[in-house]
């Protein structure tokens, strides 16, 4: 794989699968039994999870800055320990307050250990050559829900929800920690004219070329990207949290809704394979524009044709979300360059994390009020993201005769 060894992409991709499966996808399987035993309502568990997402938003810029300075290895190893600590606290929680504290610890781990940190670690190592590696780890971690939901459900049946949390904590220590520790200490720095040279990641940031020119002012680019990331993460989190209930509102049974929902993970992976192959030579701005339209189109099909075409919605939503996950890493790299990527990524994703935290509650209210028609709201938000990306302009590619030789 160009730019990054396959072992780096493989180990980081598996570690990300574990991180997502034990945090973002955990409440869907464990919130109800957790609430029953702790004597709180299920929405209270989701409120604690939202608090974790807010904590992750606040931690993101700090984690990105640390990766810019010291590389990703030490940060990601630390998050493996934090995930294990938070999940162990959750599994041992005697009451609601310990549950809230545990989710806050998990939130700190999420802010410093999910995709943004992994993307920043790869850019810190490989500079502009990180695009294919970013795609590669999302290709693997696209199975996080496919692995995480069944594994959490199985552990809950076998050992209870507390045993499931403790099981995930053990997985982080026994598997996630070694995988993150396998991240290289050195960064490959490509010189303009000469062979590649290795430098210690602690001593030097890989030299990178200046950010490409853009026809949109940099400040406007920042605002637009922050808006697009926030809106698309709102949609992604809302659907991930409420998908079975939302599909049931269209008239299908829970069993059918779960089966339809299972199509989203493979659709994400298939779209990422498309990005890794055909779209790898296309500017990520075009990929992102197409991806923002996928959810609105799928929702329109579902709402007009009904449950018979629910699979079309699942495939389009999953495909769009799969490519947008990559765009969150590749768009800032393409538009700003690699210098200071980690800190910039943290600030860009801060509004997205806040939107993510609010999504389960706000979209739940919309479902209560409008049923399946709440999808028109998410469609309007997705369309607004597409319109914002249209405002971005990249300079035309020069003809071969005008390219520097």
């Amino acid at each position: 794989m160009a730019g990054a060894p396959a072992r780096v992409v493989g180990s980081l991709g598996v570690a990300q699968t574990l991180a997502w499966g034990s945090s973002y996808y955990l409440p869907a399987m464990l919130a109800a039994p957790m609430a029953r035993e702790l004597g709180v309502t299920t929405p209270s568990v989701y409120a604690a999870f939202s608090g974790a997402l807010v904590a992750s938003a606040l931690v993101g810029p700090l984690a990105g800055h640390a990766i810019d300075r010291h590389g990703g290895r030490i940060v990601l190893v630390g998050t493996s320990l934090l995930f294990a600590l938070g999940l162990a606290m959750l599994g041992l929680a005697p009451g609601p307050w310990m549950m809230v504290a545990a989710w806050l610890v998990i939130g700190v781990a999420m802010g410093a250990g999910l995709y943004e940190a992994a993307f920043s670690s790869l850019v810190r190592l490989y500079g502009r050559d990180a695009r294919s590696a970013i795609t590669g780890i999302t290709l693997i971690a696209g199975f996080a829900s496919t692995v995480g939901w069944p594994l959490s459900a199985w552990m809950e049946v076998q050992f209870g929800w507390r045993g499931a949390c403790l099981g995930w904590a053990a997985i982080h220590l026994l598997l996630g920690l070694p995988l993150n520790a396998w991240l290289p200490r050195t960064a490959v720095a490509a010189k303009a004219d000469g062979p590649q040279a290795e430098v210690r990641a602690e001593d030097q940031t890989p030299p990178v070329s200046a950010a490409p020119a853009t026809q949109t002012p940099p400040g406007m680019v920042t605002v637009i990207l922050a808006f697009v990331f926030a809106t698309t993460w709102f949609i992604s989190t809302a659907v991930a949290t409420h998908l079975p209930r939302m599909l049931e509102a269209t008239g299908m049974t829970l069993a059918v809704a779960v089966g339809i929902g299972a199509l989203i993970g493979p659709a994400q992976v298939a779209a990422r394979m498309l990005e890794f192959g055909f779209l790898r030579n296309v500017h990520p701005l075009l990929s992102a524009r197409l991806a923002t339209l996928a959810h609105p189109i799928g929702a329109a099909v579902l709402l007009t044709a009904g449950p018979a075409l629910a699979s079309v919605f699942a495939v389009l939503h999953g495909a769009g979300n799969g490519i947008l996950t990559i765009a969150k890493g590749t768009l800032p790299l393409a538009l700003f360059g690699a210098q200071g990527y980690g800190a910039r990524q943290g600030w860009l994703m801060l509004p997205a994390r806040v939107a993510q935290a609010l999504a389960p509650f706000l979209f739940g209210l919309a479902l209560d009020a409008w049923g399946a028609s709440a999808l028109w709201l998410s469609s309007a938000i997705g369309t607004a993201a597409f319109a914002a990306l249209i405002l971005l302009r990249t300079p035309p590619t020069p003809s071969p005769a005008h390219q520097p030789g």
Side-chain angles (χ1 to χ4, degrees):
M1 161 175 317
R7 76 166 181 86
V8 173
V9 175
S11 60
L12 200 51
V14 174
Q16 284 293 298
T17 301
L18 301 179
W20 282 94
S22 61
S23 59
Y24 185 78
Y25 293 110
L26 195 69
M29 295 294 106
L30 302 186
M34 191 182 300
R36 284 195 299 270
E37 185 171 333
L38 294 177
V40 298
T41 64
T42 300
S44 297
V45 176
Y46 279 106
F49 175 61
S50 294
L53 295 175
V54 172
S56 75
L58 299 176
V59 168
L62 298 176
H65 182 67
I67 292 172
D68 285 339
R69 287 178 59 86
H70 307 294
R73 184 173 182 267
I74 188 171
V75 174
L76 291 175
V77 165
T79 61
S80 292
L81 297 173
L82 278 177
F83 273 123
L85 173 62
L87 287 160
M89 289 173 59
L90 192 59
L92 298 173
W97 289 110
M98 179 65 81
M99 176 200 70
V100 172
W103 274 116
L104 290 177
V105 172
I106 294 171
V108 172
M110 293 170 70
L114 292 183
Y115 274 149
E116 291 74 48
F119 295 164
S120 299
S121 300
L122 291 170
V123 172
R124 179 65 176 77
L125 286 167
Y126 307 111
R128 288 196 180 280
D129 292 332
R131 178 176 178 179
S132 61
I134 288 172
T135 303
I137 64 167
T138 61
L139 194 61
I140 298 170
F143 289 103
S145 61
T146 306
V147 173
W149 281 339
L151 184 55
S152 292
W154 179 81
M155 288 194 289
E156 194 275 328
V157 170
Q158 296 296 319
F159 312 111
W161 70 268
R162 293 183 183 275
C165 292
L166 294 174
W168 276 116
I171 291 172
H172 275 287
L173 292 177
L174 298 175
L175 185 56
L177 179 62
L179 288 172
N180 282 326
W182 207 15
L183 202 65
R185 290 178 181 271
T186 56
V188 176
K191 295 183 179 180
D193 295 301
Q196 288 185 330
E198 285 196 353
V199 295
R200 288 180 56 82
E202 299 88 13
D203 299 333
Q204 181 177 342
T205 300
V208 293
S209 58
T214 175
Q215 295 178 329
T216 308
M220 181 64 70
V221 174
T222 299
V223 171
I224 289 174
L225 289 184
F227 172 77
V228 170
F229 295 165
T231 54
T232 53
W233 269 49
F234 179 93
I235 295 170
S236 174
T237 305
V239 173
T241 306
H242 295 290
L243 181 66
R245 177 186 170 199
M246 183 183 69
L247 292 178
E248 283 183 281
T250 67
M252 65 181 68
T253 65
L254 176 60
V256 174
V258 171
I260 294 296
L263 296 174
I264 291 179
Q268 289 183 148
V269 173
R272 289 167 186 170
M273 291 179 67
L274 180 65
E275 164 71 19
F276 188 71
F278 175 72
L279 294 177
R280 68 189 305 172
N281 295 320
V282 172
H283 196 285
L285 182 57
L286 176 58
S287 300
R289 286 170 177 166
L290 295 174
T292 54
L293 288 177
H295 175 85
I297 293 173
V301 170
L302 175 61
L303 291 172
T304 55
L309 292 182
S311 58
V312 175
F313 164 76
V315 169
L316 284 174
H317 172 80
N321 191 55
I323 291 179
L324 283 168
T325 300
I326 298 170
K328 292 177 178 78
T330 57
L331 260 181
L333 181 61
L335 296 176
F336 290 109
Q339 191 68 38
Y341 176 93
R344 182 181 297 109
Q345 190 75 347
W347 287 111
L348 282 173
M349 292 305 298
L350 196 155
R353 292 289 191 185
V354 174
Q356 186 183 39
L358 295 174
F361 174 70
L362 294 180
F363 197 72
L365 291 180
L367 279 174
D368 290 340
W370 305 319
S373 295
L375 278 171
W376 290 121
L377 172 63
S378 60
S379 297
I381 294 172
T383 304
F386 170 77
L389 288 177
I390 292 296
L391 297 177
L392 291 179
R393 290 285 185 268
T394 56
T397 302
S399 62
H402 293 90
Q403 291 185 2

